[in-house]
Amino acid sequence: MMKFIDIGANLTDPMYQGIYNGSSKHEPDLSHVLHRSWAGGLDKIIVTVGTLSDCEPTFDILKNDERLFATVGCHPTRCGEFLPNPEAYFTSLCRQIEEHRDKVVAIGECGLDYDRLHFCEKDIQQKYFEKQLDLAAKYDLPLFLHCRNAHDDFADILVRNLDKLPKRGVVHTFDGTLEAAKALIANGFFIGLNGCSLKTEENLSVAAQIPDEWIMVETDSPWCEIRPSHAGSKHVKSKYPTVKKKEKWEPASLIAGRCEPVMISQVLEVLAGIKGKPTVELADQYYRNTLKMFFPTEVAGM
């Protein structure tokens, strides 16, 4: 069986507790979601943390499973949380990393998001994105990065801090231009691809030209499923029957509109389709890329 590592899964999202838009629709089913993941070839899952308040529930999920890991950081749209007391917030992030050092494999999700400035203004995002690069330097960890409609400023901040970032990291949910991808790769950053990276024919053209040795795969679940309307869907072979969340729920149910880590196989199938390569070959390459970045001791033992 092919082995996968999902580098970005939002497992603390209320959807996995059966809650949608504040309304309970079915029983909490994260344990079933994880069971499907492991049965479907997932070897590890990195749980995305986007704010300090995500840490406690994330590490509660991780404590009983050696296959689960996490990032620690503040999403650009949440950087306003630094403002009341920046040093205290930064210190709290440090404490979370230190208390869970065996589980934290990256700093993030951090970066810039100019599509949602109503949540946090540019200057605040920029200041506290750069501040979080100090965490990567302090703990010698790679970055789990977010960039939306902000490539120039994003790249400027990274480039002027490259000397302090020996392990670089990955730009997740990448949906930018080929030029942007090449610039990031030139500075040592990997490109993370999921369903949201493969929506349009232009997205597919870019992804097809990104060198395989610089790609990692993810789901960004419960978001970023590959929908029938997406350009990449024509390459999908794996089918996951779903039920609507208001229908009778059963433990084996996948919920329509909710992505799960097991669906990472579909991301691989799209990439294999557009690149004209065997899925098994790409899965092995992307698995090794991910180990190299986030689990280097395992690479040494292979």
Side-chain angles (χ1 to χ4, degrees):
M1 178 183 285
M2 292 182 290
K3 292 196 293 186
F4 310 112
I5 300 174
D6 189 346
I7 65 166
N10 301 282
L11 298 187
T12 59
D13 192 278
M15 289 190 209
Y16 296 123
Q17 298 303 312
I19 299 170
Y20 302 78
N21 299 316
S23 176
S24 179
K25 301 296 184 183
H26 59 77
E27 293 179 29
D29 65 345
L30 180 59
S31 63
H32 302 294
V33 169
L34 288 172
H35 177 76
R36 285 191 286 273
S37 301
W38 310 135
L42 268 293
D43 183 59
K44 296 177 178 62
I45 298 173
I46 301 175
V47 182
T48 306
V49 167
T51 177
L52 191 58
S53 60
D54 282 348
C55 290
E56 184 176 351
T58 295
F59 291 116
D60 192 51
I61 292 169
L62 269 55
K63 66 184 180 184
N64 295 319
D65 199 319
E66 63 183 11
R67 297 164 291 188
L68 294 173
F69 298 86
T71 68
V72 167
C74 187
H75 190 281
T77 62
R78 304 295 293 274
C79 279
E81 295 181 7
F82 272 94
L83 293 177
N85 192 331
E87 287 308 312
Y89 197 90
F90 185 84
T91 299
S92 294
L93 291 174
C94 291
R95 186 178 304 115
Q96 291 293 333
I97 295 167
E98 290 165 5
E99 289 179 357
H100 306 96
R101 194 64 184 85
D102 60 327
K103 286 291 193 178
V104 180
V105 295
I107 301 303
E109 175 178 2
C110 58
L112 299 177
D113 191 323
Y114 290 176
D115 281 345
R116 291 178 279 183
L117 294 175
H118 53 289
F119 289 121
C120 187
E121 296 176 2
K122 282 185 183 182
D123 59 334
I124 297 170
Q125 288 191 30
Q126 292 168 6
K127 181 174 182 178
Y128 294 107
F129 170 34
E130 192 152 16
K131 179 67 173 175
Q132 290 181 80
L133 301 185
D134 292 339
L135 291 171
K138 179 178 174 71
Y139 296 105
D140 193 28
L141 286 168
L143 292 157
F144 186 73
L145 294 161
H146 176 107
C147 180
R148 286 289 168 275
N149 193 27
H151 175 75
D152 290 347
D153 289 345
F154 177 79
D156 285 347
I157 290 171
L158 288 176
V159 168
R160 69 171 174 257
N161 287 279
L162 282 179
D163 289 347
K164 71 164 72 165
L165 302 172
K167 290 194 174 177
R168 303 299 198 261
V170 58
V171 181
H172 100 109
T173 317
F174 182 83
D175 64 355
T177 65
L178 182 61
E179 291 70 28
K182 287 180 175 178
L184 289 164
I185 289 168
N187 284 312
F189 293 95
F190 282 76
I191 305 298
L193 301 176
N194 57 36
C196 289
S197 309
L198 305 166
K199 285 183 177 180
T200 68
E201 291 296 341
E202 184 178 359
N203 290 155
L204 298 185
S205 175
V206 171
Q209 297 176 77
I210 297 174
D212 292 322
E213 60 269 27
W214 288 99
I215 289 175
M216 297 181 190
V217 288
E218 56 178 314
T219 60
D220 202 30
S221 51
W223 317 107
C224 290
E225 66 173 331
I226 299 175
R227 299 179 180 177
S229 60
H230 293 175
S233 66
K234 60 182 173 286
H235 298 290
V236 171
K237 297 177 182 177
S238 302
K239 303 298 180 183
Y240 298 99
T242 61
V243 300
K244 294 182 179 178
K245 53 184 175 285
K246 292 182 180 179
E247 293 177 356
K248 180 175 172 57
W249 175 87
E250 296 179 354
S253 302
L254 278 78
I255 307 300
R258 186 187 73 172
C259 189
E260 295 188 11
V262 72
M263 295 177 178
I264 201 166
S265 63
Q266 296 181 334
V267 179
L268 264 293
E269 288 163 1
V270 175
L271 291 171
I274 62 177
K275 288 172 174 285
K277 296 182 179 180
T279 307
V280 173
E281 176 186 323
L282 293 183
D284 182 65
Q285 176 72 62
Y286 303 156
Y287 180 80
R288 288 174 175 273
N289 293 348
T290 308
L291 285 183
K292 180 181 175 182
M293 176 61 69
F294 297 114
F295 307 98
T297 57
E298 294 194 30
V299 175
M302 290 179 73

